Amino acid sequence: IIAFTLQPSETVMNFNKVCMLGLGYIGLPTACTLANHGVQVVGVDTNPHVVHTLRNGELHIHEPGLGELVRQALGSGRLTVSPVPEPADAFIIAVPTPFYAQEQGDYQGLPYRKADMGAVMAATEAILPHLRPGNLVILESTSPPRTTVDLVQPILERSGLRAGVDFFLAYSPERVLPGQILRELVENARVIGGVTPESAQAGRDLYAIFVKGEIVQTDATTAEMVKLMENTYRDINIAIANEFSRLAEAFGVDVWQAISYANRHPRVKILNPGPGVGGHCISVDPWFFVEKAPELARLIHTARLVNDGQPHHTAALVAQALDGELPGKRIAALGLAFKPEVDDLRESPAIEVAQLLAKAGAQVRAYEPFKPAEQVAGIETVPTLAAALEGAEAILLLVQHKEFVALDPLAVASLTPARILIDTRGALDAAAWQSAGFSIYRLGDGRQ
C-alpha cells in the first residue's frame, strides 16, 4: 500500500523470490537472468520432460549462450525447477498462447483463427492458492487485447483480493529475437502495462533488476496492443513482399532483382519473400486482432491469408520444377525451422511445405541441423545432410541456415543424383550452382 504513494522514479519494491510459470524460449532465459542477478527463482513447467531435463542441467531448447546461463543459475542455488508454483513476491506468466489447430471463426466467408488461452488460464489459476496481499503478477504471454483485465484479473480476484488495490497486476510483452534472446532481454526497451499506475510501477521495479533498456509504463491493454502492432506490422510487410513475388512470376520479372532496385529509394525498404511466415509471434499475433475485431482488421486479415497461402504457392513451384509430377519424386528438404539459425519449429512454413509435398505423393526427406533427431508428422526426417541428399531427384532449400548457404555445389553434386535445385529464399549463388550442373528454380523469379 505504501508503494502507491511513491514516485515512479523510485524503487519501491524488493523482490526476494519470483515464480516463473513457463520455461520455454522466454520463461527460461528470464528466470535464469533474474537468478543470476541475485533473485531466488522457482521455475515452473507442467511438462515433466522439461522439469527432468533442467534438473539434470540439460536444455530442452536451443538458444546461443543459454546452456551456460542455466548452469550458472542452477549452480548458484538461486534457480530451482518445479512442476507446481510456490509462494513468491512476484509471479510471471510466460506460457504459450497458440491458436486452435482448426479455423474456429468465419467473417464474410473468410476463415480466421482464434487464440487458445487455455495455458494462460491454467497458469493464472495455479497462482490462486499462493496469491497474497502485496504480490505482483505479470502476464508476458502474447495475448488478445484486454486479456489482462478481462481474463486474468477476474480469475485472480476469485482469491478475494482486488487487483490494483490488494495486489499488483501488469502486462509486459517479450520483444526479443530468437538467436539473440539473452542480449535483447537485457538491452531492449520494455513496455510495462498495469491495471493501475501503481501496478505498472511495480512491474518496472521488477524488470529494472536486469533491464538496461528504457522501461516505458502504460496501461495493460495498451501494452498488449503494442506487442500485437509490432508483429502485425512485420506480417503485413512480409505479405506485400510475398505478393510481389507472385506478381513477378506472373510478369516474367526476377523479384529479387526488382526488390534490390526498389530499395535504392531512400524511403523504401521492401522485405524478402519466402515460403511463408512462421514462429509463435508474427504468424500468430495478427489473428488476435482479427478475432477481436474482424470488421476493422481487414488489411491485417488479408495479409494473414496471403502469408498463410504462401506454403501452397511454394509447393506449386516445386511441382512446376518437377514438370508437374510429384507422386514418387524424391525430394531433399533443407531446413524445418521457422527462421535461420534457430531450432524453433513452431508454426514453421518449411514444415507445411514439406507436408504438402508429402501429401501430394512426393517422398520427402527433411534435414534440420538444429533439431536433427526431431520427428515431424507426415514427413521423414533424417539426422544428416548426406542422408537427405542420398537418392534425391530435387533439392529444396526452405531455411537459409548458414550451413546451407555455404554449401559447395560441386560437393553436393558428388553426394546426390539430384540436378534440380529449388531456392525459396533467394539465398544461393545461382550461377555457381548452374556451373555445377544444377537447374535452378527460385521463388519469385518469373524469368525461369
Side-chain angles (χ1 to χ4, degrees), residues 44 69 74 125 207 273 300 368 379 412 422:
V44 178
L69 195 71
L74 291 171
E125 289 171 348
Y207 289 107
I300 297 170
E368 172 47 61
I379 57 176
V412 171
I422 303 105

Side-chain angles (χ1 to χ4, degrees), residues 108-367:
Q108 295 185 347
L110 298 175
Y112 66 84
R113 298 183 175 188
K114 288 187 175 181
D116 181 354
M117 303 305 294
V120 168
M121 294 173 65
T124 306
E125 289 171 348
I127 293 172
L128 269 177
H130 309 290
L131 189 63
R132 301 290 182 267
N135 281 170
L136 166 65
V137 179
I138 295 182
L139 176 63
E140 281 200 4
S141 306
T142 306
S143 303
R146 297 192 60 84
T147 294
T148 304
V149 295
D150 289 345
L151 179 65
V152 174
Q153 182 172 336
I155 293 174
L156 293 175
E157 288 185 341
R158 292 189 341 226
S159 64
L161 301 176
R162 295 168 296 170
V165 177
D166 302 310
F167 67 94
F168 303 101
L169 176 61
Y171 178 82
S172 182
E174 56 82 11
R175 306 166 83 199
V176 295
L177 184 69
Q180 301 182 40
I181 290 176
L182 302 190
R183 178 181 63 81
E184 294 197 351
L185 196 65
V186 174
E187 296 180 2
N188 284 4
R190 195 94 200 193
V191 178
I192 313 290
V195 298
T196 60
E198 295 82 9
S199 291
Q201 170 68 30
R204 187 210 71 84
D205 295 339
L206 176 61
Y207 289 107
I209 293 173
F210 65 88
V211 171
K212 295 179 181 178
E214 182 183 10
I215 300 178
V216 181
Q217 295 173 225
T218 183
D219 64 272
T221 303
T222 297
E224 290 165 344
M225 190 163 175
V226 165
K227 169 66 174 181
L228 300 182
M229 288 167 61
E230 292 168 353
N231 286 330
T232 299
Y233 171 84
R234 291 273 295 167
D235 193 49
I236 291 173
N237 279 275
I238 294 170
I240 193 61
N242 283 333
E243 198 155 278
F244 283 151
S245 74
R246 300 184 196 182
L247 291 167
E249 290 170 5
F251 299 148
V253 169
D254 178 355
V255 76
W256 306 97
Q257 184 182 76
I259 288 174
S260 72
Y261 294 161
N263 283 347
R264 284 171 167 78
H265 190 290
R267 290 176 296 281
V268 173
K269 180 58 180 175
I270 301 169
L271 302 179
N272 289 331
V277 177
H280 190 62
C281 286
I282 298 177
S283 66
V284 176
D285 298 357
W287 286 119
F288 296 166
F289 278 140
V290 178
E291 174 187 347
K292 286 292 187 178
E295 73 285 359
L296 299 176
R298 291 180 293 176
L299 174 62
I300 297 170
H301 197 174
T302 299
R304 273 284 77 229
L305 295 176
V306 169
N307 287 335
D308 274 358
Q310 197 69 356
H312 294 267
H313 181 78
T314 302
L317 173 66
V318 176
Q320 175 188 335
L322 293 169
D323 296 324
E325 297 293 331
L326 284 176
K329 295 294 185 180
R330 299 182 300 277
I331 300 173
L334 307 188
L336 291 175
F338 85 88
K339 62 173 291 182
E341 305 307 308
V342 303
D343 72 338
D344 195 343
L345 308 186
R346 290 177 297 176
E347 311 302 332
S348 173
I351 290 178
E352 186 174 356
V353 172
Q355 290 173 331
L356 287 169
L357 295 172
K359 189 175 181 179
Q363 298 177 22
V364 180
R365 283 185 178 177
Y367 169 58

Side-chain angles (χ1 to χ4, degrees), residues 350-399:
I351 290 178
E352 186 174 356
V353 172
Q355 290 173 331
L356 287 169
L357 295 172
K359 189 175 181 179
Q363 298 177 22
V364 180
R365 283 185 178 177
Y367 169 58
E368 172 47 61
F370 288 91
K371 274 195 174 175
E374 189 78 4
Q375 300 298 308
V376 178
I379 57 176
E380 179 186 359
T381 55
V382 293
T384 66
L385 175 64
L389 293 173
E390 183 180 1
E393 297 173 74
I395 302 170
L396 172 61
L397 177 69
L398 290 169
V399 186

